[in-house]
Amino acid sequence: MKYDFTSIMSRSGHDAIAIDGLGSMPGFAPELPMDGFDPIPMWVADMNFPTVPTIPEAIIARASHPAFGYFSPTPEYYNSIIQWQASRNGCDPALLTPECIGYENGVIGGVVTALTSFANPGDPILVHSPTYIGFTGALQNNGFKIVHSPLVKDKENIWRMDFEDMENKIRKYNIHAVIFCSPHNPCGRVWERWELEKAMEIYKKYDCVVVSDEIWSDILLNGHKHIPTQSVSEDARNRTVALYAPSKTFNLAGLVGSYHIIYNKYLRDRCDAKSSKCHYNDMNVLSMHALIGAYKPEGHQWVDELCETLSGNINYACDYIHDHFKGLRVSKPEGTYMLFVDCEEWCKTHHKTIEDVEKACWNVGVAIQDGKMFHGDYAIRMNLALPLSLVKEAFSRMDRWVFNR
């Protein structure tokens, strides 16, 4: 590989809650390990890899000029997004014009903008469960009624949408706005075209505005391919607000810089009007240059190598769970770098709670995340975006001190 995904990068003291936040956020962050164990960060969804060099190069080049006044997004910014989406996701550059692209202060901010443009406090919003904690917090903070449609595992242990349940919930609660997650967080599904088409037909039938979080669209494992929600039909293109960012892909969450793609002018006008009301949804000049640096040709190769690395990590972890951790179940993710592990059988067999499992992991420095926050009663969530040597060390510790002690 051209890029380094094996060196262990120290993040302590470098503004990383993945390490510096341990033990400081009760109920959210893992606790500090016992003496003698160094922490292995496997909770918050950022990566323990250095980003592609073209990003710091772009930031340093801009920062070398000592003025940081008011600015407007450059044509290069929009062209970078258009070319990235065309190359990675098959978007048509003739349709994806700069007018369709708008800056967002984070994908969750974009979710809130879109929902509050078309729904009011107290209105029901459909979302699949398990559910990303950011969706839960955003919906609660803005006074929406959360209606869950649970994903179900088929006989091959693959998470699927329950289309009958979706339609029943939409009809029962008179829902007209939904959150869709593609690829799905935390389950890691990369939806097939027929699944997207069927979901969008239901949303069309009941005239639902679809807010599609596609922030994970570049993190694809073992040859899976992302299909943009907006691409499956003309109607899907015109009822969907799609949200993207380079942050998950290139480890840039701390820079803040997401964007929406909205083809329909009415949807776009409503969202732009809403996002302008706070007078705060404005781009940072360095985040603009970071995106431009990310979406250069080097970024394409870096992401391809990243996905190859992550596929190896995911395969190792899932095989290890299957071979060594009796009573744990996991559906192998097709995208993202997160594992959502079901510990129910193990907990009941060993008369343990999921809190016992989490505490045992944290004690030995395996800083996994509580899955209950994602509506998994017996689940733990694990970030595998770190060098394989650390993945192996984490699973060795869990084998020795957690699940087979």
Side-chain angles (χ1 to χ4, degrees), residues 70-71 102-106 108-110 112-113 253-258 271-285 287:
Y70 296 107
F71 75 104
Y103 174 79
E104 298 287 352
N105 267 345
I108 291 300
V112 171
T113 290
L255 282 175
V256 184
S258 305
C271 289
D272 287 346
K274 173 63 74 170
S275 69
S276 71
K277 297 297 189 292
C278 65
H279 298 275
Y280 186 67
N281 195 39
D282 294 314
M283 188 186 303
N284 180 298
V285 68
S287 73

Coordinates of all heavy atoms in Angstrom, one line a residue, residues 70-71 102-106 108-110 112-113 253-258 271-285 287:
Y70 N -13.7 37.4 5.4 CA -14.9 36.8 4.8 C -14.6 36.2 3.4 O -13.7 36.7 2.7 CB -16.0 37.9 4.6 CG -16.5 38.4 6.0 CD1 -16.1 39.7 6.4 CD2 -17.3 37.6 6.8 CE1 -16.6 40.1 7.6 CE2 -17.7 38.1 8.0 CZ -17.4 39.3 8.5 OH -17.8 39.8 9.7
F71 N -15.3 35.2 3.1 CA -15.1 34.5 1.8 C -16.3 33.8 1.3 O -17.3 33.7 2.0 CB -13.9 33.4 2.0 CG -14.4 32.2 2.7 CD1 -14.6 31.0 1.9 CD2 -14.6 32.2 4.0 CE1 -15.1 29.9 2.6 CE2 -15.1 31.0 4.7 CZ -15.3 29.9 3.9
G102 N -25.3 22.4 -1.0 CA -25.3 23.5 0.1 C -24.5 23.0 1.3 O -24.5 21.9 1.7
Y103 N -23.8 24.0 1.9 CA -23.0 23.7 3.1 C -23.9 23.4 4.3 O -25.0 24.0 4.5 CB -22.1 24.9 3.4 CG -21.3 24.7 4.7 CD1 -20.2 23.9 4.8 CD2 -21.8 25.3 5.9 CE1 -19.5 23.7 6.0 CE2 -21.1 25.1 7.1 CZ -20.0 24.3 7.1 OH -19.3 24.1 8.3
E104 N -23.4 22.5 5.2 CA -24.1 22.2 6.4 C -23.1 22.1 7.6 O -22.0 21.5 7.4 CB -24.9 20.9 6.4 CG -26.0 20.8 5.3 CD -27.2 21.7 5.7 OE1 -27.3 22.1 6.9 OE2 -28.1 21.8 4.9
N105 N -23.4 22.7 8.7 CA -22.6 22.5 9.9 C -22.8 21.1 10.5 O -23.4 21.0 11.5 CB -22.9 23.6 11.0 CG -22.1 24.8 10.8 OD1 -21.0 24.8 10.2 ND2 -22.5 25.9 11.5
G106 N -22.3 20.1 9.8 CA -22.5 18.8 10.3 C -23.8 18.1 9.7 O -24.8 18.8 9.4
I108 N -25.8 16.0 11.2 CA -27.0 16.1 12.1 C -27.6 17.5 12.0 O -28.8 17.7 12.0 CB -26.5 15.8 13.5 CG1 -26.2 14.3 13.6 CG2 -27.6 16.1 14.5 CD1 -27.3 13.4 13.3
G109 N -26.8 18.6 11.8 CA -27.4 19.9 11.6 C -28.2 19.9 10.4 O -29.3 20.5 10.3
G110 N -27.7 19.2 9.3 CA -28.5 19.2 8.1 C -29.8 18.4 8.3 O -30.9 18.7 7.7
V112 N -31.5 18.2 11.0 CA -32.4 19.1 11.8 C -33.0 20.2 10.8 O -34.2 20.5 10.9 CB -31.7 19.8 13.0 CG1 -32.6 20.9 13.6 CG2 -31.4 18.7 14.0
T113 N -32.1 20.8 10.0 CA -32.6 21.8 9.1 C -33.7 21.2 8.2 O -34.8 21.9 8.0 CB -31.4 22.3 8.2 OG1 -30.5 23.0 8.9 CG2 -31.9 23.1 7.0
A253 N -13.8 15.1 11.4 CA -14.9 15.5 12.1 C -14.6 16.8 12.9 O -15.5 17.7 13.1 CB -15.4 14.5 13.1
G254 N -13.4 17.0 13.4 CA -13.1 18.2 14.2 C -13.0 19.4 13.3 O -13.0 20.5 13.9
L255 N -13.0 19.3 12.0 CA -12.9 20.5 11.2 C -14.3 21.0 10.8 O -14.5 22.2 10.5 CB -12.2 20.2 9.9 CG -10.7 20.2 10.0 CD1 -10.0 19.8 8.7 CD2 -10.1 21.6 10.4
V256 N -15.3 20.2 10.9 CA -16.7 20.5 10.6 C -16.9 21.0 9.2 O -16.4 22.0 8.8 CB -17.3 21.6 11.6 CG1 -18.8 21.9 11.3 CG2 -17.1 21.2 13.0
G257 N -17.6 20.2 8.4 CA -17.8 20.6 7.0 C -18.6 19.6 6.2 O -18.0 18.7 5.6
S258 N -19.9 19.6 6.3 CA -20.8 18.7 5.6 C -21.5 19.4 4.5 O -21.4 20.6 4.3 CB -21.8 18.1 6.5 OG -21.1 17.5 7.6
C271 N -35.1 24.4 2.7 CA -33.9 24.1 3.5 C -33.0 25.2 3.6 O -32.4 25.5 4.7 CB -33.2 22.8 3.0 SG -34.2 21.3 3.3
D272 N -32.7 25.9 2.5 CA -31.8 27.0 2.5 C -32.4 28.2 3.4 O -31.6 28.8 4.1 CB -31.5 27.5 1.1 CG -30.7 26.6 0.3 OD1 -30.0 25.7 0.9 OD2 -30.6 26.8 -0.9
A273 N -33.7 28.4 3.3 CA -34.3 29.4 4.1 C -34.2 29.1 5.6 O -33.8 29.9 6.4 CB -35.8 29.6 3.7
K274 N -34.4 27.8 5.9 CA -34.4 27.4 7.3 C -32.9 27.5 7.9 O -32.7 28.0 9.0 CB -34.9 26.0 7.5 CG -34.7 25.4 8.9 CD -35.5 26.2 10.0 CE -37.0 25.9 9.9 NZ -37.7 26.4 11.0
S275 N -32.0 27.0 7.1 CA -30.6 27.0 7.6 C -30.0 28.4 7.7 O -29.1 28.7 8.5 CB -29.7 26.2 6.6 OG -29.5 26.9 5.4
S276 N -30.6 29.4 7.0 CA -30.1 30.8 7.1 C -30.6 31.5 8.4 O -30.0 32.5 8.8 CB -30.5 31.6 5.9 OG -31.9 31.8 5.9
K277 N -31.6 31.0 9.0 CA -32.3 31.7 10.1 C -31.4 31.8 11.3 O -31.5 32.8 12.1 CB -33.6 31.0 10.5 CG -34.7 31.0 9.4 CD -35.1 32.4 9.0 CE -36.3 32.3 8.1 NZ -36.0 31.8 6.7
C278 N -30.5 30.9 11.6 CA -29.7 30.9 12.8 C -28.4 31.9 12.5 O -27.7 32.2 13.5 CB -29.2 29.5 13.2 SG -28.1 28.8 11.9
H279 N -28.2 32.2 11.3 CA -27.0 33.1 11.0 C -25.7 32.5 11.4 O -24.8 33.2 11.8 CB -27.2 34.5 11.6 CG -28.4 35.2 11.0 ND1 -28.4 35.9 9.8 CD2 -29.7 35.3 11.5 CE1 -29.6 36.4 9.6 NE2 -30.4 36.1 10.6
Y280 N -25.7 31.2 11.4 CA -24.5 30.5 12.0 C -24.1 29.3 11.1 O -23.0 28.8 11.3 CB -24.8 30.0 13.4 CG -23.6 29.4 14.1 CD1 -22.5 30.2 14.5 CD2 -23.5 28.0 14.4 CE1 -21.4 29.6 15.1 CE2 -22.4 27.5 15.0 CZ -21.4 28.3 15.4 OH -20.3 27.7 16.0
N281 N -24.9 28.9 10.1 CA -24.6 27.8 9.3 C -23.6 28.2 8.1 O -24.0 28.2 7.0 CB -25.9 27.2 8.8 CG -25.6 25.8 8.2 OD1 -24.9 25.0 8.7 ND2 -26.3 25.5 7.1
D282 N -22.4 28.6 8.5 CA -21.5 29.1 7.5 C -20.2 28.3 7.5 O -19.7 27.8 8.6 CB -21.2 30.6 7.8 CG -22.4 31.5 7.6 OD1 -23.0 31.3 6.6 OD2 -22.6 32.3 8.5
M283 N -19.6 28.1 6.4 CA -18.4 27.3 6.2 C -17.2 28.0 6.8 O -17.1 29.2 6.8 CB -18.2 27.1 4.7 CG -17.1 26.2 4.3 SD -16.9 26.2 2.5 CE -18.5 25.8 1.9
N284 N -16.3 27.2 7.3 CA -15.0 27.6 7.7 C -14.0 27.5 6.5 O -14.0 26.5 5.8 CB -14.5 26.7 8.9 CG -13.2 27.0 9.4 OD1 -12.2 27.0 8.7 ND2 -13.1 27.3 10.7
V285 N -13.2 28.5 6.3 CA -12.4 28.5 5.1 C -11.4 27.3 5.1 O -11.1 26.8 4.1 CB -11.6 29.9 5.0 CG1 -10.6 30.0 6.2 CG2 -11.0 30.0 3.7
S287 N -12.0 24.4 6.4 CA -12.7 23.1 6.1 C -13.0 23.0 4.6 O -13.0 22.0 4.0 CB -14.0 23.1 6.9 OG -15.0 24.0 6.4

